Coordinates of all heavy atoms in Angstrom, one line a residue:
P1 N 0.8 -1.2 0.0 CA 0.0 0.0 0.0 C 0.8 1.3 0.0 O 0.5 2.2 -0.7 CB -0.8 -0.1 1.3 CG -0.1 -1.1 2.1 CD 0.6 -2.0 1.2
F2 N 1.9 1.3 0.7 CA 2.8 2.5 0.8 C 3.4 2.9 -0.6 O 3.3 4.0 -1.0 CB 3.9 2.4 1.8 CG 3.3 2.3 3.2 CD1 3.0 1.1 3.9 CD2 3.2 3.5 4.0 CE1 2.6 1.1 5.1 CE2 2.7 3.5 5.3 CZ 2.4 2.3 5.9
A3 N 3.9 1.9 -1.2 CA 4.6 2.1 -2.5 C 3.5 2.5 -3.6 O 3.7 3.4 -4.4 CB 5.3 0.9 -3.0
N4 N 2.4 1.8 -3.6 CA 1.4 2.1 -4.6 C 0.7 3.4 -4.4 O 0.4 4.2 -5.3 CB 0.3 0.9 -4.6 CG 0.9 -0.4 -5.1 OD1 1.8 -0.4 -5.9 ND2 0.4 -1.5 -4.5
F5 N 0.5 3.8 -3.1 CA -0.1 5.1 -2.8 C 0.9 6.2 -3.3 O 0.5 7.1 -3.9 CB -0.3 5.2 -1.3 CG -1.0 6.5 -0.9 CD1 -2.3 6.6 -0.8 CD2 -0.2 7.6 -0.5 CE1 -2.9 7.8 -0.3 CE2 -0.7 8.8 -0.1 CZ -2.1 8.9 0.0
K6 N 2.1 6.0 -2.9 CA 3.2 7.0 -3.3 C 3.2 7.2 -4.8 O 3.2 8.3 -5.3 CB 4.5 6.6 -2.8 CG 5.6 7.5 -3.1 CD 7.0 7.0 -2.6 CE 8.1 7.9 -3.1 NZ 9.4 7.4 -2.8
T7 N 3.2 6.1 -5.6 CA 3.3 6.2 -7.0 C 2.1 6.9 -7.6 O 2.2 7.8 -8.4 CB 3.3 4.7 -7.6 OG1 4.5 4.1 -7.1 CG2 3.3 4.8 -9.1
L8 N 0.9 6.7 -7.1 CA -0.3 7.3 -7.6 C -0.3 8.8 -7.2 O -0.6 9.7 -8.1 CB -1.6 6.7 -7.0 CG -1.9 5.3 -7.5 CD1 -3.0 4.7 -6.6 CD2 -2.4 5.4 -9.0
V9 N 0.0 9.1 -6.0 CA -0.1 10.5 -5.6 C 1.0 11.4 -6.2 O 0.8 12.5 -6.7 CB 0.1 10.6 -4.0 CG1 0.3 12.1 -3.6 CG2 -1.2 10.1 -3.4
E10 N 2.2 10.8 -6.3 CA 3.3 11.6 -6.9 C 3.2 11.9 -8.4 O 3.8 12.8 -8.9 CB 4.7 11.0 -6.5 CG 5.0 11.1 -5.1 CD 6.4 10.7 -4.7 OE1 7.1 10.2 -5.6 OE2 6.7 10.9 -3.5
S11 N 2.4 11.1 -9.0 CA 2.1 11.4 -10.5 C 0.8 12.1 -10.7 O 0.3 12.1 -11.8 CB 2.2 10.0 -11.2 OG 1.1 9.2 -10.8
S12 N 0.3 12.7 -9.7 CA -1.0 13.3 -9.8 C -0.9 14.8 -9.5 O 0.1 15.3 -9.1 CB -2.1 12.7 -8.8 OG -1.8 13.2 -7.5
K13 N -2.0 15.5 -9.8 CA -2.0 17.0 -9.4 C -2.1 17.2 -7.9 O -2.0 18.4 -7.5 CB -3.1 17.7 -10.2 CG -4.5 17.3 -9.6 CD -5.6 18.1 -10.4 CE -7.0 17.8 -9.8 NZ -8.0 18.6 -10.4
Y14 N -2.3 16.2 -7.2 CA -2.4 16.3 -5.7 C -1.1 16.1 -5.0 O -1.0 16.0 -3.8 CB -3.4 15.3 -5.2 CG -4.8 15.6 -5.6 CD1 -5.3 15.0 -6.8 CD2 -5.6 16.4 -4.8 CE1 -6.6 15.3 -7.2 CE2 -6.9 16.7 -5.2 CZ -7.4 16.1 -6.4 OH -8.7 16.4 -6.8
R15 N 0.0 16.0 -5.7 CA 1.3 15.7 -5.2 C 1.7 16.7 -4.0 O 2.0 16.3 -2.9 CB 2.4 15.8 -6.3 CG 3.8 15.4 -5.8 CD 4.8 15.5 -7.0 NE 6.1 15.0 -6.6 CZ 7.0 15.8 -6.1 NH1 6.8 17.1 -5.9 NH2 8.2 15.3 -5.7
Q16 N 1.7 18.0 -4.3 CA 2.0 19.0 -3.3 C 1.0 19.0 -2.2 O 1.4 19.2 -1.0 CB 2.2 20.4 -4.0 CG 2.7 21.4 -3.0 CD 4.1 21.0 -2.5 OE1 5.0 20.7 -3.2 NE2 4.3 21.1 -1.2
Q17 N -0.2 18.8 -2.5 CA -1.3 18.8 -1.5 C -1.0 17.6 -0.5 O -1.1 17.8 0.7 CB -2.7 18.7 -2.1 CG -3.8 18.7 -1.1 CD -5.2 18.6 -1.8 OE1 -5.3 18.9 -3.0 NE2 -6.1 18.3 -1.0
W18 N -0.5 16.5 -1.0 CA -0.2 15.4 -0.2 C 1.0 15.7 0.7 O 0.9 15.4 1.9 CB 0.1 14.1 -1.1 CG 0.9 13.1 -0.3 CD1 2.2 12.7 -0.6 CD2 0.5 12.3 0.8 NE1 2.6 11.7 0.3 CE2 1.6 11.5 1.2 CE3 -0.6 12.3 1.6 CZ2 1.5 10.6 2.3 CZ3 -0.7 11.5 2.7 CH2 0.4 10.6 3.0
F19 N 2.0 16.3 0.1 CA 3.2 16.6 1.0 C 2.8 17.6 2.1 O 3.2 17.5 3.2 CB 4.3 17.2 0.1 CG 5.0 16.2 -0.7 CD1 5.2 16.4 -2.1 CD2 5.4 15.0 -0.2 CE1 5.8 15.5 -2.9 CE2 6.1 14.0 -1.0 CZ 6.3 14.3 -2.4
D20 N 2.0 18.6 1.8 CA 1.5 19.6 2.8 C 0.7 18.9 3.8 O 0.8 19.2 5.0 CB 0.8 20.7 2.1 CG 1.6 21.6 1.2 OD1 2.9 21.5 1.3 OD2 1.1 22.3 0.3
F21 N -0.2 18.1 3.4 CA -1.1 17.3 4.3 C -0.3 16.4 5.3 O -0.5 16.5 6.5 CB -2.1 16.5 3.5 CG -3.1 15.8 4.4 CD1 -4.3 16.5 4.8 CD2 -2.9 14.5 4.8 CE1 -5.2 15.8 5.5 CE2 -3.9 13.8 5.5 CZ -5.0 14.5 5.9
K22 N 0.6 15.7 4.7 CA 1.4 14.8 5.5 C 2.3 15.5 6.5 O 2.4 15.1 7.7 CB 2.3 13.9 4.5 CG 3.2 12.9 5.3 CD 4.0 12.1 4.2 CE 5.0 11.2 4.9 NZ 5.8 10.5 4.0
K23 N 2.8 16.6 6.1 CA 3.7 17.4 7.0 C 2.8 17.9 8.1 O 3.3 17.8 9.3 CB 4.3 18.6 6.2 CG 5.1 19.5 7.1 CD 5.6 20.7 6.3 CE 6.3 21.7 7.2 NZ 6.6 22.9 6.6
K24 N 1.7 18.4 7.8 CA 0.8 19.0 8.9 C 0.4 17.9 9.9 O 0.4 18.1 11.1 CB -0.5 19.6 8.3 CG -1.4 20.2 9.3 CD -2.7 20.8 8.6 CE -3.8 19.8 8.3 NZ -4.3 18.9 9.2
E25 N 0.0 16.7 9.4 CA -0.4 15.6 10.2 C 0.8 15.1 11.1 O 0.6 14.8 12.3 CB -0.9 14.4 9.4 CG -2.2 14.7 8.7 CD -3.4 14.9 9.7 OE1 -3.5 14.1 10.6 OE2 -4.2 15.8 9.4
L26 N 2.0 15.0 10.5 CA 3.2 14.6 11.3 C 3.5 15.6 12.3 O 3.9 15.3 13.5 CB 4.4 14.3 10.4 CG 4.2 13.1 9.5 CD1 5.4 13.0 8.5 CD2 4.2 11.8 10.3
E27 N 3.4 16.9 12.0 CA 3.7 17.9 13.0 C 2.7 17.8 14.1 O 3.1 18.0 15.3 CB 3.6 19.3 12.3 CG 4.8 19.6 11.4 CD 4.6 20.9 10.7 OE1 3.5 21.5 10.7 OE2 5.6 21.4 10.0
E28 N 1.5 17.6 13.9 CA 0.5 17.4 15.0 C 0.8 16.2 15.9 O 0.7 16.3 17.1 CB -0.9 17.3 14.4 CG -1.5 18.6 13.8 CD -2.9 18.4 13.3 OE1 -3.5 17.4 13.5 OE2 -3.3 19.3 12.5
L29 N 1.3 15.1 15.2 CA 1.7 14.0 16.0 C 2.9 14.3 16.9 O 2.9 13.9 18.1 CB 2.0 12.8 15.1 CG 0.8 12.1 14.4 CD1 1.3 11.1 13.4 CD2 -0.1 11.4 15.5
V30 N 3.8 15.0 16.4 CA 5.0 15.4 17.2 C 4.6 16.3 18.3 O 5.1 16.1 19.4 CB 6.1 16.0 16.2 CG1 7.2 16.6 17.1 CG2 6.7 14.9 15.3
W31 N 3.8 17.3 18.0 CA 3.4 18.2 19.1 C 2.6 17.5 20.2 O 2.8 17.8 21.3 CB 2.6 19.4 18.5 CG 3.5 20.5 17.9 CD1 3.5 20.8 16.6 CD2 4.4 21.3 18.5 NE1 4.4 21.8 16.4 CE2 5.0 22.1 17.6 CE3 4.9 21.4 19.9 CZ2 6.0 23.0 17.9 CZ3 5.9 22.3 20.2 CH2 6.4 23.1 19.2
D32 N 1.8 16.6 19.8 CA 1.1 15.8 20.8 C 2.0 15.0 21.6 O 1.8 14.9 22.9 CB 0.1 14.8 20.1 CG -1.1 15.5 19.5 OD1 -1.3 16.7 19.8 OD2 -1.8 14.9 18.7
E33 N 3.0 14.4 21.0 CA 4.0 13.6 21.8 C 4.8 14.6 22.7 O 5.0 14.2 23.9 CB 5.0 12.9 20.8 CG 6.1 12.2 21.5 CD 5.6 10.9 22.2 OE1 4.5 10.4 21.9 OE2 6.4 10.4 23.0
I34 N 5.2 15.7 22.2 CA 5.9 16.7 23.1 C 5.1 17.1 24.3 O 5.5 17.1 25.4 CB 6.4 17.9 22.3 CG1 7.5 17.4 21.3 CG2 6.9 19.0 23.2 CD1 7.9 18.5 20.3
S35 N 3.8 17.4 24.0 CA 2.9 17.9 25.0 C 2.7 16.8 26.1 O 2.8 17.0 27.3 CB 1.6 18.3 24.4 OG 0.7 18.6 25.4
W36 N 2.6 15.5 25.6 CA 2.4 14.4 26.5 C 3.6 14.2 27.4 O 3.5 14.1 28.6 CB 2.1 13.2 25.7 CG 1.9 12.0 26.6 CD1 0.8 11.6 27.2 CD2 2.9 11.0 26.9 NE1 1.0 10.5 28.0 CE2 2.3 10.0 27.8 CE3 4.2 10.8 26.5 CZ2 3.0 8.9 28.2 CZ3 4.9 9.7 27.0 CH2 4.3 8.8 27.9
Q37 N 4.8 14.3 26.8 CA 6.0 14.1 27.5 C 6.2 15.2 28.6 O 6.7 15.0 29.7 CB 7.2 14.0 26.6 CG 7.3 12.6 25.9 CD 8.6 12.4 25.3 OE1 9.6 12.7 25.8 NE2 8.6 11.7 24.1
L38 N 5.9 16.5 28.1 CA 6.1 17.6 29.1 C 5.1 17.4 30.3 O 5.5 17.6 31.4 CB 5.8 18.9 28.4 CG 6.9 19.4 27.4 CD1 6.5 20.6 26.7 CD2 8.2 19.6 28.2
N39 N 3.9 17.1 30.0 CA 2.9 16.8 31.1 C 3.3 15.7 32.0 O 3.2 15.7 33.2 CB 1.5 16.6 30.5 CG 0.9 17.9 29.9 OD1 1.3 19.0 30.3 ND2 0.0 17.7 29.0
D40 N 3.9 14.6 31.4 CA 4.3 13.5 32.1 C 5.5 13.8 33.0 O 5.5 13.4 34.2 CB 4.7 12.3 31.1 CG 4.9 11.0 31.8 OD1 4.0 10.7 32.7 OD2 5.8 10.3 31.5
N41 N 6.4 14.6 32.5 CA 7.6 15.1 33.3 C 7.1 16.0 34.4 O 7.7 15.9 35.5 CB 8.6 15.8 32.4 CG 9.4 14.8 31.5 OD1 9.4 13.6 31.8 ND2 9.9 15.3 30.4
E42 N 6.2 16.8 34.2 CA 5.7 17.7 35.2 C 5.1 16.9 36.4 O 5.3 17.2 37.5 CB 4.6 18.7 34.7 CG 5.2 19.8 33.9 CD 4.2 20.8 33.3 OE1 3.0 20.6 33.7 OE2 4.5 21.6 32.6

């Protein structure tokens, strides 16, 4: 699924939208992890 999804998206007009979307989602996951760790440490 990962390779096939990548092939389809990267050859489409949604390529940049995918990269922006993925970046935003990963940033949210990282911020959630940081927030959780900070609260846990407190």
Side-chain angles (χ1 to χ4, degrees):
F2 291 91
N4 293 327
F5 182 92
K6 179 182 176 190
T7 299
L8 287 168
V9 169
E10 289 190 356
S11 63
S12 76
K13 70 178 184 178
Y14 291 90
R15 183 178 187 273
Q16 188 58 51
Q17 186 177 337
W18 161 243
F19 289 131
D20 294 343
F21 183 86
K22 182 179 174 184
K23 178 182 174 194
K24 181 180 83 52
E25 293 292 319
L26 290 172
E27 285 174 351
E28 287 179 16
L29 287 171
V30 169
W31 281 115
D32 288 347
E33 178 70 18
I34 290 170
S35 175
W36 179 81
Q37 285 193 37
L38 286 174
N39 289 333
D40 193 43
N41 286 339
E42 284 179 7

